[in-house]
Amino acid sequence: MSYVSVDQAVKLLRAGGVVGLPTETVYGLAGRIDQEDALKLIFSTKQRPFFDPLIVHVASSAEVQGLAAEWPEIFQILAARFWPGPLTMVTQKTAAVSPLITSGLETVAIRCPKHPLALEVIRKLGVPVAAPSANRFGKTSPTRPEHVDSEFGGSVAVIDGGACEVGLESTVVDAHLRDGRWHLRVLRPGGVSRRELAAELQKHHLNFSIERAESAASPGHLKAHYQPTNPVVILDRDFSDEDIKTRVQSQLGVRVDQVIRMELGSEPEQAARRLYQDFRELSRQEHGVIAIRRSQTGPDWEAIWDRIERASSLTMS
Ligand code: TXA
Ligand code: MG
């Protein structure tokens, strides 16, 4: 156990340390953006490659000024509606943003989280923090403080902010103006759906379109990611346990004693909140395989299915 109060966390961050920070999406591994050692510690703690850039977390829109060289009208509209909240916006960076944060890119990803303890930490520290999800690289993101604790074997100080309300990561977008029309690109689907983004932009009578970017546009958004310990199999139709066992054993070469069926239910918000927690719980059973029937695939399920796809090792159709 390594739980700390907000004030203790701020002290650790001041000294260049890293802290498990509750946000409404998932727990982050936070370090101050103006200390290279803290940033390096984030990467080494997570065993994260340096080509995967970090999100800068601010406590208010006002802090964007020092970080972003451009903050277009479309981002102002979206920030006014969705901040604090699970939306990350990518724009040109200023010299104040270390290339360690952006993996050498000229752009920076910024978001204002909604969790009151995250906001309190950033405000008290007086400096924005960079924070990737607080899990080892490629693994399932933590949605409870004890997940962070077990992920790093108790070696990382964590603020207990309870269970995350959203349960999966923020939506990451960038925007380009071409011939008077805004092209908003979703680099990673997440806590704010495309439908919600569109509704807000329509209200402001903006000329826009929303596209889903190729995954390469968000460097860290790799095809295989978020993987729980037990393999995940997506079922395009009904299969018997025997069929699943046989296929997994022959195609993945792992022993399977039990097929564990994971139900998503009918409410996307609830499904998102439970997804990573269920991945972890259903991995406790040794030699189990987690089977998920492909159902509920409307626009409100985009982020959930993005994560399941990346977490999965096999699709049976
Ligand atoms: O909800 C979240 O966003 C959580 C919490 C802790 O805030 N954070 C999170 O961070 O998910 P991380 O590091 O696991 O994912 C950051 C994503 C990656 O897909 C990365 O490629 C993308 O943001 N990203 C960061 N900077 C970028 C940039 N300059 N251009 C494009 N994508 C960027
Ligand atoms: Mg992550």
Side-chain angles (χ1 to χ4, degrees):
M1 291 289 214
S2 46
Y3 294 117
V4 293
S5 68
V6 164
D7 287 336
Q8 287 169 319
V10 170
K11 218 168 147 188
L12 282 168
L13 291 167
R14 285 223 171 95
V18 296
V19 163
L21 186 73
T23 86
E24 79 282 18
T25 58
V26 301
Y27 274 72
L29 186 66
R32 54 191 294 167
I33 60 163
D34 59 351
Q35 281 191 13
E36 301 246 311
D37 286 347
L39 298 171
K40 286 183 184 153
L41 192 55
I42 291 174
F43 284 94
S44 61
T45 305
K46 268 188 70 103
Q47 298 168 354
R48 178 179 176 120
F50 282 105
F51 64 74
D52 194 1
L54 305 176
I55 295 172
V56 174
H57 295 66
V58 295
S60 76
S61 297
E63 288 161 60
V64 164
Q65 230 192 351
L67 306 166
E70 286 168 20
W71 195 243
E73 179 195 9
I74 187 169
F75 283 180
Q76 289 170 29
I77 290 171
L78 293 176
R81 166 68 180 82
F82 296 106
W83 279 8
L87 179 67
T88 297
M89 291 180 265
V90 175
T91 186
Q92 294 304 307
K93 77 176 194 74
T94 63
V97 180
S98 161
L100 268 178
I101 293 174
T102 66
S103 306
L105 296 173
E106 282 309 308
T107 54
V108 60
I110 309 174
R111 108 173 173 95
C112 177
K114 196 175 178 189
H115 198 294
L117 296 182
L119 291 169
E120 197 184 334
V121 166
I122 302 165
R123 270 192 211 116
K124 284 192 167 163
L125 183 66
V127 178
V129 295
S133 50
N135 49 276
R136 287 181 195 274
F137 186 69
K139 298 297 182 190
T140 305
S141 306
T143 52
R144 305 186 63 92
E146 57 269 27
H147 297 165
V148 182
D149 205 53
S150 68
E151 196 70 29
F152 301 112
S155 66
V156 169
V158 191
I159 301 173
D160 182 351
C164 298
E165 192 188 326
V166 176
L168 44 78
E169 295 83 351
S170 62
T171 302
V172 182
V173 297
D174 68 6
H176 301 279
L177 184 63
R178 273 195 303 272
D179 305 325
R181 186 179 176 86
W182 282 104
H183 296 260
L184 191 70
R185 288 198 308 171
V186 177
L187 307 180
R188 178 180 71 181
V192 177
S193 73
R194 241 197 264 215
R195 199 208 297 275
E196 292 170 294
L197 293 170
E200 187 60 20
L201 297 176
Q202 267 153 13
K203 253 205 259 168
H204 292 264
H205 308 291
L206 225 64
N207 181 6
F208 72 95
S209 63
I210 303 182
E211 300 132 32
R212 175 74 182 272
E214 300 297 315
S215 54
S218 209
H221 205 202
L222 304 177
K223 187 82 184 72
H225 217 131
Y226 312 105
Q227 292 189 327
T229 318
N230 274 340
V232 172
V233 177
I234 298 172
L235 311 176
D236 282 341
R237 55 183 176 83
D238 285 330
F239 285 94
S240 69
D241 285 6
E242 275 319 303
D243 282 346
I244 296 169
K245 276 188 196 171
T246 311
R247 273 285 284 283
V248 170
Q249 277 166 351
S250 71
Q251 280 191 248
L252 302 181
V254 295
R255 172 177 147 197
V256 181
D257 292 343
Q258 200 189 340
V259 174
I260 308 158
R261 307 268 175 175
M262 185 165 146
E263 303 292 340
L264 295 179
S266 57
E267 286 297 321
E269 278 181 22
Q270 235 172 336
R273 199 174 301 144
R274 284 183 26 204
L275 184 70
Y276 292 149
Q277 164 92 8
D278 283 355
F279 276 173
R280 282 170 191 271
E281 273 175 16
L282 302 181
S283 287
R284 292 222 183 99
Q285 178 96 35
E286 238 188 299
H287 304 299
V289 58
I290 302 169
I292 310 175
R293 179 81 160 79
R294 198 189 293 280
S295 56
Q296 322 278 19
T297 50
D300 295 335
W301 293 82
E302 186 181 10
I304 295 166
W305 276 102
D306 173 77
R307 303 306 190 273
I308 296 174
E309 297 268 3
R310 287 171 207 277
S312 70
S313 305
L314 183 67
T315 297
M316 292 176 62
S317 41

